Amino acid sequence: MKKTNKRVQEFIRVDHAGERGAVKIYEGQLLALNTIVKNESLKKTIEDMKEHEIEHCQFFEKEIKKRNIEPTKFLPLWDLLGVGLGFGSTLLGKKAAMLCTASVEEVIDKHYLDQINQLGPDEEELKKKITKFRQDELDHKDIAYEEGATKKGFYAIMDRIIKTGSKLAINISEKI
């Protein structure tokens, strides 16, 4: 087993938490769509995006185990907040649900790009995966805007709250 440097350990820890968080957000959205809000088309869109997030999460789950990296201690809290954010945003309607995706993906885009730029040739495989995952996230962002995400009015406030929360979770998950 090769030694993973501290920075790469932080990347994998936070990416694992983030991808798991994305799965939880979509689970919360699907919970709302399966119980209170009825929108089959939105449900299908979210199920499709959730499949990518599961793939991403499984990759980082394997990396955590393979490299013997301690996951963030905040996983239970992130799980709860993710489900709550997904559920709550969907109760507010399709625009809010899609803005939730767009806002998170805009933060992740910059986050992944920063990691890609820092990873060296010794982590080529990880860099390739993160590059692919970043593209999936950009596709999700585009889908969210095509499906009605907006930052007008109240949604501008929601965008700031989601982005601030996402950045805070990233900063905490890298270290703890």
Side-chain angles (χ1 to χ4, degrees):
M1 186 176 80
K2 78 174 186 175
K3 181 83 173 100
T4 303
N5 79 44
K6 188 176 187 298
R7 194 68 188 124
V8 172
Q9 286 182 22
E10 289 175 353
F11 288 175
I12 292 168
R13 178 181 305 110
V14 71
D15 293 351
H16 170 254
E19 295 297 350
R20 182 163 150 163
V23 170
K24 294 299 178 185
I25 289 169
Y26 288 133
E27 285 176 0
Q29 291 181 327
L30 291 169
L31 180 62
L33 287 163
N34 286 323
T35 55
I36 299 168
V37 180
K38 298 298 177 195
N39 183 330
E40 286 305 313
S41 150
L42 181 58
K43 185 174 160 183
K44 174 78 178 103
T45 299
I46 289 170
E47 285 171 342
D48 290 346
M49 291 189 291
K50 181 183 168 201
E51 284 308 307
H52 289 137
E53 305 301 352
I54 289 171
E55 174 197 335
H56 303 173
C57 186
Q58 287 172 341
F59 170 79
F60 287 114
E61 189 77 39
K62 284 182 188 133
E63 287 297 303
I64 281 227
K65 287 184 175 104
K66 181 173 87 181
R67 296 175 188 240
N68 200 23
I69 297 169
E70 187 76 28
T72 177
K73 292 180 182 5
F74 284 84
L75 278 181
L77 179 61
W78 298 158
D79 288 353
L80 189 63
L81 293 173
V83 171
L85 176 61
F87 190 83
S89 66
T90 304
L91 288 182
L92 295 173
K94 183 179 179 182
K95 282 183 182 179
M98 289 293 93
L99 176 64
C100 180
T101 294
S103 299
V104 169
E105 300 302 20
E106 285 169 4
V107 171
I108 298 310
D109 169 31
K110 289 178 179 59
H111 172 72
Y112 273 165
L113 188 58
D114 185 45
Q115 288 184 353
I116 290 163
N117 291 332
Q118 289 183 56
L119 286 169
D122 58 322
E123 289 290 352
E124 204 52 51
E125 196 53 44
L126 180 61
K127 190 175 194 169
K128 260 192 247 171
K129 280 291 191 183
I130 292 174
T131 300
K132 182 219 179 283
F133 296 165
R134 178 177 176 255
Q135 187 55 57
D136 291 344
E137 309 301 4
L138 290 171
D139 293 344
H140 296 170
K141 180 189 72 157
D142 292 344
I143 290 166
Y145 282 113
E146 288 164 17
E147 292 290 327
T150 180
K151 293 181 186 176
K152 293 186 176 124
F154 158 78
Y155 298 105
I157 297 164
M158 193 176 148
D159 176 61
R160 292 294 339 129
I161 292 168
I162 292 169
K163 283 182 174 170
T164 301
S166 297
K167 289 173 187 172
L168 189 61
I170 286 170
N171 291 335
I172 291 169
S173 296
E174 274 182 341
K175 306 295 181 193
I176 303 171

PDB file of all heavy atoms in Angstrom, residues 35-62:
ATOM      1  N   THR A  35     -43.715  11.062  -1.461  1.00  0.00           N
ATOM      2  CA  THR A  35     -44.714  11.170  -0.389  1.00  0.00           C
ATOM      3  C   THR A  35     -45.647  12.367  -0.556  1.00  0.00           C
ATOM      4  O   THR A  35     -46.857  12.210  -0.513  1.00  0.00           O
ATOM      5  CB  THR A  35     -44.030  11.266   0.992  1.00  0.00           C
ATOM      6  OG1 THR A  35     -43.113  12.360   0.987  1.00  0.00           O
ATOM      7  CG2 THR A  35     -43.297   9.976   1.338  1.00  0.00           C
ATOM      8  N   ILE A  36     -45.084  13.548  -0.746  1.00  0.00           N
ATOM      9  CA  ILE A  36     -45.899  14.767  -0.700  1.00  0.00           C
ATOM     10  C   ILE A  36     -46.054  15.426  -2.062  1.00  0.00           C
ATOM     11  O   ILE A  36     -47.146  15.757  -2.499  1.00  0.00           O
ATOM     12  CB  ILE A  36     -45.286  15.766   0.318  1.00  0.00           C
ATOM     13  CG1 ILE A  36     -45.277  15.130   1.713  1.00  0.00           C
ATOM     14  CG2 ILE A  36     -46.055  17.087   0.314  1.00  0.00           C
ATOM     15  CD1 ILE A  36     -44.465  15.871   2.740  1.00  0.00           C
ATOM     16  N   VAL A  37     -44.920  15.616  -2.737  1.00  0.00           N
ATOM     17  CA  VAL A  37     -44.909  16.325  -4.023  1.00  0.00           C
ATOM     18  C   VAL A  37     -44.977  15.293  -5.137  1.00  0.00           C
ATOM     19  O   VAL A  37     -44.163  14.378  -5.185  1.00  0.00           O
ATOM     20  CB  VAL A  37     -43.601  17.148  -4.169  1.00  0.00           C
ATOM     21  CG1 VAL A  37     -43.568  17.881  -5.489  1.00  0.00           C
ATOM     22  CG2 VAL A  37     -43.426  18.098  -3.000  1.00  0.00           C
ATOM     23  N   LYS A  38     -45.913  15.428  -6.021  1.00  0.00           N
ATOM     24  CA  LYS A  38     -46.022  14.464  -7.120  1.00  0.00           C
ATOM     25  C   LYS A  38     -45.558  15.135  -8.417  1.00  0.00           C
ATOM     26  O   LYS A  38     -46.183  16.063  -8.904  1.00  0.00           O
ATOM     27  CB  LYS A  38     -47.468  13.953  -7.273  1.00  0.00           C
ATOM     28  CG  LYS A  38     -47.981  13.208  -6.048  1.00  0.00           C
ATOM     29  CD  LYS A  38     -47.165  11.951  -5.757  1.00  0.00           C
ATOM     30  CE  LYS A  38     -47.628  11.247  -4.517  1.00  0.00           C
ATOM     31  NZ  LYS A  38     -46.700  10.274  -4.004  1.00  0.00           N
ATOM     32  N   ASN A  39     -44.428  14.654  -8.904  1.00  0.00           N
ATOM     33  CA  ASN A  39     -43.896  15.149 -10.171  1.00  0.00           C
ATOM     34  C   ASN A  39     -43.002  14.048 -10.744  1.00  0.00           C
ATOM     35  O   ASN A  39     -41.829  13.945 -10.407  1.00  0.00           O
ATOM     36  CB  ASN A  39     -43.109  16.451  -9.953  1.00  0.00           C
ATOM     37  CG  ASN A  39     -42.599  17.057 -11.247  1.00  0.00           C
ATOM     38  OD1 ASN A  39     -42.316  16.350 -12.215  1.00  0.00           O
ATOM     39  ND2 ASN A  39     -42.470  18.368 -11.256  1.00  0.00           N
ATOM     40  N   GLU A  40     -43.582  13.203 -11.590  1.00  0.00           N
ATOM     41  CA  GLU A  40     -42.879  12.028 -12.118  1.00  0.00           C
ATOM     42  C   GLU A  40     -41.672  12.413 -12.972  1.00  0.00           C
ATOM     43  O   GLU A  40     -40.650  11.741 -12.962  1.00  0.00           O
ATOM     44  CB  GLU A  40     -43.836  11.129 -12.906  1.00  0.00           C
ATOM     45  CG  GLU A  40     -44.792  10.340 -12.026  1.00  0.00           C
ATOM     46  CD  GLU A  40     -44.097   9.486 -10.960  1.00  0.00           C
ATOM     47  OE1 GLU A  40     -43.131   8.777 -11.290  1.00  0.00           O
ATOM     48  OE2 GLU A  40     -44.535   9.535  -9.788  1.00  0.00           O
ATOM     49  N   SER A  41     -41.802  13.494 -13.715  1.00  0.00           N
ATOM     50  CA  SER A  41     -40.701  13.930 -14.591  1.00  0.00           C
ATOM     51  C   SER A  41     -39.498  14.381 -13.754  1.00  0.00           C
ATOM     52  O   SER A  41     -38.357  14.015 -14.039  1.00  0.00           O
ATOM     53  CB  SER A  41     -41.217  15.042 -15.506  1.00  0.00           C
ATOM     54  OG  SER A  41     -40.204  15.927 -15.851  1.00  0.00           O
ATOM     55  N   LEU A  42     -39.753  15.163 -12.715  1.00  0.00           N
ATOM     56  CA  LEU A  42     -38.683  15.615 -11.825  1.00  0.00           C
ATOM     57  C   LEU A  42     -38.065  14.412 -11.104  1.00  0.00           C
ATOM     58  O   LEU A  42     -36.846  14.328 -10.952  1.00  0.00           O
ATOM     59  CB  LEU A  42     -39.211  16.636 -10.818  1.00  0.00           C
ATOM     60  CG  LEU A  42     -38.191  17.205  -9.833  1.00  0.00           C
ATOM     61  CD1 LEU A  42     -37.035  17.891 -10.555  1.00  0.00           C
ATOM     62  CD2 LEU A  42     -38.877  18.184  -8.872  1.00  0.00           C
ATOM     63  N   LYS A  43     -38.913  13.490 -10.697  1.00  0.00           N
ATOM     64  CA  LYS A  43     -38.449  12.284 -10.009  1.00  0.00           C
ATOM     65  C   LYS A  43     -37.455  11.523 -10.891  1.00  0.00           C
ATOM     66  O   LYS A  43     -36.391  11.107 -10.432  1.00  0.00           O
ATOM     67  CB  LYS A  43     -39.651  11.404  -9.644  1.00  0.00           C
ATOM     68  CG  LYS A  43     -39.318  10.194  -8.826  1.00  0.00           C
ATOM     69  CD  LYS A  43     -40.617   9.495  -8.418  1.00  0.00           C
ATOM     70  CE  LYS A  43     -40.372   8.069  -8.043  1.00  0.00           C
ATOM     71  NZ  LYS A  43     -41.599   7.358  -7.710  1.00  0.00           N
ATOM     72  N   LYS A  44     -37.773  11.359 -12.157  1.00  0.00           N
ATOM     73  CA  LYS A  44     -36.904  10.636 -13.099  1.00  0.00           C
ATOM     74  C   LYS A  44     -35.570  11.374 -13.260  1.00  0.00           C
ATOM     75  O   LYS A  44     -34.499  10.757 -13.238  1.00  0.00           O
ATOM     76  CB  LYS A  44     -37.619  10.498 -14.457  1.00  0.00           C
ATOM     77  CG  LYS A  44     -36.776   9.907 -15.562  1.00  0.00           C
ATOM     78  CD  LYS A  44     -36.666   8.392 -15.428  1.00  0.00           C
ATOM     79  CE  LYS A  44     -35.872   7.774 -16.557  1.00  0.00           C
ATOM     80  NZ  LYS A  44     -34.523   7.400 -16.227  1.00  0.00           N
ATOM     81  N   THR A  45     -35.608  12.688 -13.401  1.00  0.00           N
ATOM     82  CA  THR A  45     -34.392  13.499 -13.537  1.00  0.00           C
ATOM     83  C   THR A  45     -33.492  13.309 -12.322  1.00  0.00           C
ATOM     84  O   THR A  45     -32.284  13.093 -12.452  1.00  0.00           O
ATOM     85  CB  THR A  45     -34.771  15.000 -13.683  1.00  0.00           C
ATOM     86  OG1 THR A  45     -35.574  15.145 -14.859  1.00  0.00           O
ATOM     87  CG2 THR A  45     -33.547  15.883 -13.799  1.00  0.00           C
ATOM     88  N   ILE A  46     -34.081  13.372 -11.139  1.00  0.00           N
ATOM     89  CA  ILE A  46     -33.311  13.240  -9.894  1.00  0.00           C
ATOM     90  C   ILE A  46     -32.765  11.823  -9.736  1.00  0.00           C
ATOM     91  O   ILE A  46     -31.610  11.644  -9.343  1.00  0.00           O
ATOM     92  CB  ILE A  46     -34.160  13.686  -8.685  1.00  0.00           C
ATOM     93  CG1 ILE A  46     -34.327  15.214  -8.743  1.00  0.00           C
ATOM     94  CG2 ILE A  46     -33.527  13.252  -7.365  1.00  0.00           C
ATOM     95  CD1 ILE A  46     -35.321  15.781  -7.779  1.00  0.00           C
ATOM     96  N   GLU A  47     -33.567  10.826 -10.082  1.00  0.00           N
ATOM     97  CA  GLU A  47     -33.076   9.442 -10.003  1.00  0.00           C
ATOM     98  C   GLU A  47     -31.861   9.243 -10.907  1.00  0.00           C
ATOM     99  O   GLU A  47     -30.895   8.573 -10.518  1.00  0.00           O
ATOM    100  CB  GLU A  47     -34.186   8.457 -10.387  1.00  0.00           C
ATOM    101  CG  GLU A  47     -35.226   8.300  -9.306  1.00  0.00           C
ATOM    102  CD  GLU A  47     -36.453   7.506  -9.733  1.00  0.00           C
ATOM    103  OE1 GLU A  47     -36.695   7.348 -10.963  1.00  0.00           O
ATOM    104  OE2 GLU A  47     -37.189   7.055  -8.839  1.00  0.00           O
ATOM    105  N   ASP A  48     -31.896   9.825 -12.100  1.00  0.00           N
ATOM    106  CA  ASP A  48     -30.770   9.698 -13.033  1.00  0.00           C
ATOM    107  C   ASP A  48     -29.509  10.352 -12.468  1.00  0.00           C
ATOM    108  O   ASP A  48     -28.416   9.773 -12.532  1.00  0.00           O
ATOM    109  CB  ASP A  48     -31.110  10.333 -14.396  1.00  0.00           C
ATOM    110  CG  ASP A  48     -32.152   9.531 -15.161  1.00  0.00           C
ATOM    111  OD1 ASP A  48     -32.432   8.366 -14.785  1.00  0.00           O
ATOM    112  OD2 ASP A  48     -32.709  10.072 -16.142  1.00  0.00           O
ATOM    113  N   MET A  49     -29.647  11.555 -11.912  1.00  0.00           N
ATOM    114  CA  MET A  49     -28.489  12.250 -11.351  1.00  0.00           C
ATOM    115  C   MET A  49     -27.961  11.509 -10.123  1.00  0.00           C
ATOM    116  O   MET A  49     -26.752  11.414  -9.915  1.00  0.00           O
ATOM    117  CB  MET A  49     -28.835  13.705 -11.022  1.00  0.00           C
ATOM    118  CG  MET A  49     -29.059  14.539 -12.279  1.00  0.00           C
ATOM    119  SD  MET A  49     -29.207  16.326 -11.994  1.00  0.00           S
ATOM    120  CE  MET A  49     -30.763  16.446 -11.163  1.00  0.00           C
ATOM    121  N   LYS A  50     -28.873  10.947  -9.341  1.00  0.00           N
ATOM    122  CA  LYS A  50     -28.474  10.205  -8.139  1.00  0.00           C
ATOM    123  C   LYS A  50     -27.586   9.013  -8.503  1.00  0.00           C
ATOM    124  O   LYS A  50     -26.637   8.697  -7.780  1.00  0.00           O
ATOM    125  CB  LYS A  50     -29.714   9.740  -7.367  1.00  0.00           C
ATOM    126  CG  LYS A  50     -29.377   8.980  -6.096  1.00  0.00           C
ATOM    127  CD  LYS A  50     -30.632   8.471  -5.398  1.00  0.00           C
ATOM    128  CE  LYS A  50     -30.257   7.489  -4.314  1.00  0.00           C
ATOM    129  NZ  LYS A  50     -31.364   6.624  -3.946  1.00  0.00           N
ATOM    130  N   GLU A  51     -27.851   8.372  -9.626  1.00  0.00           N
ATOM    131  CA  GLU A  51     -27.032   7.228 -10.065  1.00  0.00           C
ATOM    132  C   GLU A  51     -25.569   7.629 -10.233  1.00  0.00           C
ATOM    133  O   GLU A  51     -24.670   6.889  -9.843  1.00  0.00           O
ATOM    134  CB  GLU A  51     -27.574   6.628 -11.366  1.00  0.00           C
ATOM    135  CG  GLU A  51     -28.815   5.791 -11.171  1.00  0.00           C
ATOM    136  CD  GLU A  51     -28.671   4.717 -10.107  1.00  0.00           C
ATOM    137  OE1 GLU A  51     -27.713   3.921 -10.175  1.00  0.00           O
ATOM    138  OE2 GLU A  51     -29.514   4.679  -9.185  1.00  0.00           O
ATOM    139  N   HIS A  52     -25.307   8.810 -10.817  1.00  0.00           N
ATOM    140  CA  HIS A  52     -23.930   9.294 -10.951  1.00  0.00           C
ATOM    141  C   HIS A  52     -23.300   9.492  -9.576  1.00  0.00           C
ATOM    142  O   HIS A  52     -22.145   9.139  -9.367  1.00  0.00           O
ATOM    143  CB  HIS A  52     -23.875  10.635 -11.705  1.00  0.00           C
ATOM    144  CG  HIS A  52     -24.192  10.509 -13.145  1.00  0.00           C
ATOM    145  ND1 HIS A  52     -25.010  11.401 -13.787  1.00  0.00           N
ATOM    146  CD2 HIS A  52     -23.790   9.619 -14.086  1.00  0.00           C
ATOM    147  CE1 HIS A  52     -25.116  11.053 -15.051  1.00  0.00           C
ATOM    148  NE2 HIS A  52     -24.375   9.970 -15.259  1.00  0.00           N
ATOM    149  N   GLU A  53     -24.064  10.088  -8.670  1.00  0.00           N
ATOM    150  CA  GLU A  53     -23.524  10.371  -7.338  1.00  0.00           C
ATOM    151  C   GLU A  53     -23.199   9.088  -6.582  1.00  0.00           C
ATOM    152  O   GLU A  53     -22.211   9.024  -5.852  1.00  0.00           O
ATOM    153  CB  GLU A  53     -24.499  11.242  -6.533  1.00  0.00           C
ATOM    154  CG  GLU A  53     -24.910  12.543  -7.191  1.00  0.00           C
ATOM    155  CD  GLU A  53     -23.773  13.491  -7.519  1.00  0.00           C
ATOM    156  OE1 GLU A  53     -22.613  13.261  -7.116  1.00  0.00           O
ATOM    157  OE2 GLU A  53     -24.044  14.493  -8.203  1.00  0.00           O
ATOM    158  N   ILE A  54     -24.002   8.060  -6.785  1.00  0.00           N
ATOM    159  CA  ILE A  54     -23.726   6.760  -6.158  1.00  0.00           C
ATOM    160  C   ILE A  54     -22.411   6.201  -6.699  1.00  0.00           C
ATOM    161  O   ILE A  54     -21.574   5.719  -5.928  1.00  0.00           O
ATOM    162  CB  ILE A  54     -24.902   5.775  -6.375  1.00  0.00           C
ATOM    163  CG1 ILE A  54     -26.110   6.212  -5.530  1.00  0.00           C
ATOM    164  CG2 ILE A  54     -24.488   4.341  -6.046  1.00  0.00           C
ATOM    165  CD1 ILE A  54     -27.392   5.456  -5.826  1.00  0.00           C
ATOM    166  N   GLU A  55     -22.214   6.297  -8.004  1.00  0.00           N
ATOM    167  CA  GLU A  55     -20.962   5.838  -8.622  1.00  0.00           C
ATOM    168  C   GLU A  55     -19.764   6.593  -8.033  1.00  0.00           C
ATOM    169  O   GLU A  55     -18.758   5.992  -7.658  1.00  0.00           O
ATOM    170  CB  GLU A  55     -21.026   6.054 -10.138  1.00  0.00           C
ATOM    171  CG  GLU A  55     -19.733   5.760 -10.861  1.00  0.00           C
ATOM    172  CD  GLU A  55     -19.697   6.362 -12.273  1.00  0.00           C
ATOM    173  OE1 GLU A  55     -20.767   6.588 -12.868  1.00  0.00           O
ATOM    174  OE2 GLU A  55     -18.580   6.605 -12.765  1.00  0.00           O
ATOM    175  N   HIS A  56     -19.889   7.908  -7.922  1.00  0.00           N
ATOM    176  CA  HIS A  56     -18.817   8.739  -7.360  1.00  0.00           C
ATOM    177  C   HIS A  56     -18.534   8.337  -5.909  1.00  0.00           C
ATOM    178  O   HIS A  56     -17.391   8.170  -5.497  1.00  0.00           O
ATOM    179  CB  HIS A  56     -19.191  10.227  -7.386  1.00  0.00           C
ATOM    180  CG  HIS A  56     -19.521  10.752  -8.741  1.00  0.00           C
ATOM    181  ND1 HIS A  56     -20.010  12.025  -8.917  1.00  0.00           N
ATOM    182  CD2 HIS A  56     -19.434  10.219  -9.982  1.00  0.00           C
ATOM    183  CE1 HIS A  56     -20.221  12.234 -10.206  1.00  0.00           C
ATOM    184  NE2 HIS A  56     -19.877  11.151 -10.865  1.00  0.00           N
ATOM    185  N   CYS A  57     -19.602   8.200  -5.143  1.00  0.00           N
ATOM    186  CA  CYS A  57     -19.476   7.870  -3.722  1.00  0.00           C
ATOM    187  C   CYS A  57     -18.798   6.514  -3.542  1.00  0.00           C
ATOM    188  O   CYS A  57     -17.925   6.359  -2.682  1.00  0.00           O
ATOM    189  CB  CYS A  57     -20.857   7.883  -3.058  1.00  0.00           C
ATOM    190  SG  CYS A  57     -20.803   7.662  -1.279  1.00  0.00           S
ATOM    191  N   GLN A  58     -19.181   5.547  -4.360  1.00  0.00           N
ATOM    192  CA  GLN A  58     -18.582   4.209  -4.257  1.00  0.00           C
ATOM    193  C   GLN A  58     -17.086   4.250  -4.560  1.00  0.00           C
ATOM    194  O   GLN A  58     -16.301   3.572  -3.911  1.00  0.00           O
ATOM    195  CB  GLN A  58     -19.298   3.227  -5.190  1.00  0.00           C
ATOM    196  CG  GLN A  58     -20.673   2.855  -4.679  1.00  0.00           C
ATOM    197  CD  GLN A  58     -21.489   2.040  -5.665  1.00  0.00           C
ATOM    198  OE1 GLN A  58     -21.221   2.010  -6.864  1.00  0.00           O
ATOM    199  NE2 GLN A  58     -22.525   1.385  -5.155  1.00  0.00           N
ATOM    200  N   PHE A  59     -16.690   5.072  -5.538  1.00  0.00           N
ATOM    201  CA  PHE A  59     -15.269   5.200  -5.849  1.00  0.00           C
ATOM    202  C   PHE A  59     -14.501   5.719  -4.634  1.00  0.00           C
ATOM    203  O   PHE A  59     -13.475   5.151  -4.244  1.00  0.00           O
ATOM    204  CB  PHE A  59     -15.037   6.136  -7.048  1.00  0.00           C
ATOM    205  CG  PHE A  59     -13.585   6.468  -7.244  1.00  0.00           C
ATOM    206  CD1 PHE A  59     -12.723   5.562  -7.853  1.00  0.00           C
ATOM    207  CD2 PHE A  59     -13.068   7.676  -6.786  1.00  0.00           C
ATOM    208  CE1 PHE A  59     -11.373   5.850  -8.001  1.00  0.00           C
ATOM    209  CE2 PHE A  59     -11.718   7.970  -6.933  1.00  0.00           C
ATOM    210  CZ  PHE A  59     -10.865   7.062  -7.540  1.00  0.00           C
ATOM    211  N   PHE A  60     -15.011   6.802  -4.026  1.00  0.00           N
ATOM    212  CA  PHE A  60     -14.308   7.384  -2.875  1.00  0.00           C
ATOM    213  C   PHE A  60     -14.380   6.478  -1.650  1.00  0.00           C
ATOM    214  O   PHE A  60     -13.454   6.443  -0.847  1.00  0.00           O
ATOM    215  CB  PHE A  60     -14.804   8.799  -2.574  1.00  0.00           C
ATOM    216  CG  PHE A  60     -14.327   9.786  -3.597  1.00  0.00           C
ATOM    217  CD1 PHE A  60     -15.207  10.423  -4.449  1.00  0.00           C
ATOM    218  CD2 PHE A  60     -12.970  10.062  -3.734  1.00  0.00           C
ATOM    219  CE1 PHE A  60     -14.758  11.311  -5.415  1.00  0.00           C
ATOM    220  CE2 PHE A  60     -12.505  10.949  -4.695  1.00  0.00           C
ATOM    221  CZ  PHE A  60     -13.399  11.572  -5.545  1.00  0.00           C
ATOM    222  N   GLU A  61     -15.457   5.720  -1.511  1.00  0.00           N
ATOM    223  CA  GLU A  61     -15.573   4.733  -0.429  1.00  0.00           C
ATOM    224  C   GLU A  61     -14.428   3.715  -0.554  1.00  0.00           C
ATOM    225  O   GLU A  61     -13.770   3.378   0.435  1.00  0.00           O
ATOM    226  CB  GLU A  61     -16.935   4.031  -0.532  1.00  0.00           C
ATOM    227  CG  GLU A  61     -17.286   3.145   0.623  1.00  0.00           C
ATOM    228  CD  GLU A  61     -17.753   3.893   1.847  1.00  0.00           C
ATOM    229  OE1 GLU A  61     -18.484   4.889   1.720  1.00  0.00           O
ATOM    230  OE2 GLU A  61     -17.353   3.477   2.949  1.00  0.00           O
ATOM    231  N   LYS A  62     -14.186   3.248  -1.773  1.00  0.00           N
ATOM    232  CA  LYS A  62     -13.098   2.283  -2.009  1.00  0.00           C
ATOM    233  C   LYS A  62     -11.737   2.920  -1.740  1.00  0.00           C
ATOM    234  O   LYS A  62     -10.860   2.285  -1.157  1.00  0.00           O
ATOM    235  CB  LYS A  62     -13.149   1.777  -3.456  1.00  0.00           C
ATOM    236  CG  LYS A  62     -14.239   0.775  -3.699  1.00  0.00           C
ATOM    237  CD  LYS A  62     -14.222   0.263  -5.132  1.00  0.00           C
ATOM    238  CE  LYS A  62     -15.439  -0.584  -5.399  1.00  0.00           C
ATOM    239  NZ  LYS A  62     -16.112  -0.251  -6.633  1.00  0.00           N
TER     240      LYS A  62
END
